[in-house]
């Protein structure tokens, strides 16, 4: 498993991936909702269909899906699946965002993003630190570079950036 620090970039496995946006399962903790935004070369979604979240479970291509929530081992997570090889060429980045319902990220214990390869190997684990008053922000992204997919983990960017990408 690769532990990622804020600002780190790393290659990712070429096959399908699962991405968990998780936190400690502590009573009274604000809920965290995970989303994926599929962005074009200009850094914008092309329309509502390029937003995948609990209310829109699947991108029309089928390459990005919200597959639900899970709890165990003192953790709670929302899961996204990405079939990076099947993402259409017009999509240059898939941004993973989180939003916090009923509180701020500073109130969320043990916030993390985890990338799991198709074979179950944890490809990357990113512990989010330094959250305070944010209610939404970009956790990280997958992006195309020289014909391959890579990931970057940069939590703390404002929710406004994700909102601007959406339109």
């Amino acid at each position: 498993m690769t532990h990622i620090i804020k600002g780190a970039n790393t290659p990712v496995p070429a096959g399908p991936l699962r991405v968990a946006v998780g936190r400690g399962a502590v009573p009274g903790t604000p809920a965290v909702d995970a989303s994926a935004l599929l962005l074009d070369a200009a850094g914008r979604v092309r329309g509502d269909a390029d937003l995948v979240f609990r209310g829109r479970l699947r991108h029309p291509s089928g390459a990005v899906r919200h597959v639900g929530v899970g709890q165990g081992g003192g953790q709670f997570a929302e899961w996204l699946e990405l079939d990076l090889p099947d993402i259409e060429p017009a999509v240059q980045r898939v941004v993973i965002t989180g939003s916090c319902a009923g509180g701020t990220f500073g109130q969320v214990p043990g916030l993390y993003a985890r990338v799991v390869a198709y074979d179950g190997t944890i490809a990357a684990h990113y512990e989010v630190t330094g959250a305070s008053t944010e209610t939404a922000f970009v956790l990280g992204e997958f992006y195309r570079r020289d014909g391959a997919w890579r990931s970057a983990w940069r939590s703390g960017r404002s929710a406004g950036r994700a909102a601007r990408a959406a339109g």
Side-chain angles (χ1 to χ4, degrees):
M1 170 173 39
T2 302
H3 285 274
I4 304 297
I5 60 171
K6 184 176 181 177
N9 298 357
T10 184
V12 294
L17 302 173
R18 294 190 83 194
V19 179
V21 174
R23 61 172 173 83
V26 177
T29 299
V32 176
D33 297 322
S35 303
L37 290 71
L38 288 76
L39 307 182
D40 63 15
R44 299 182 82 61
V45 297
R46 298 166 296 171
D48 289 347
D50 284 347
L51 305 171
V52 177
F53 58 99
R54 200 182 312 187
R56 184 176 297 115
L57 298 176
R58 184 179 187 91
H59 185 264
S61 69
V64 179
R65 300 168 298 284
H66 186 291
V67 294
V69 298
Q71 184 172 355
Q75 299 292 310
F76 183 84
E78 285 205 11
W79 288 90
L80 301 163
E81 287 183 345
L82 296 90
D83 291 331
L84 295 176
D86 294 338
I87 292 176
E88 57 204 278
V91 174
Q92 294 297 302
R93 297 187 345 223
V94 179
V95 176
I96 306 300
T97 66
S99 60
C100 194
T104 67
F105 277 109
Q107 299 169 300
V108 177
L111 182 64
Y112 66 89
R114 181 176 296 150
V115 180
V116 182
Y118 184 74
D119 66 3
T121 303
I122 298 173
H125 183 86
Y126 173 55
E127 296 283 340
V128 178
T129 59
S132 60
T133 61
E134 303 90 354
T135 57
F137 57 39
V138 174
L139 293 166
E141 66 184 74
F142 296 88
Y143 61 95
R144 295 181 196 263
R145 168 85 37 92
D146 298 326
W149 284 94
R150 297 183 57 83
S151 67
W153 301 97
R154 310 184 202 299
S155 70
R157 291 195 286 187
S158 74
R161 183 174 179 130
R164 284 192 303 275

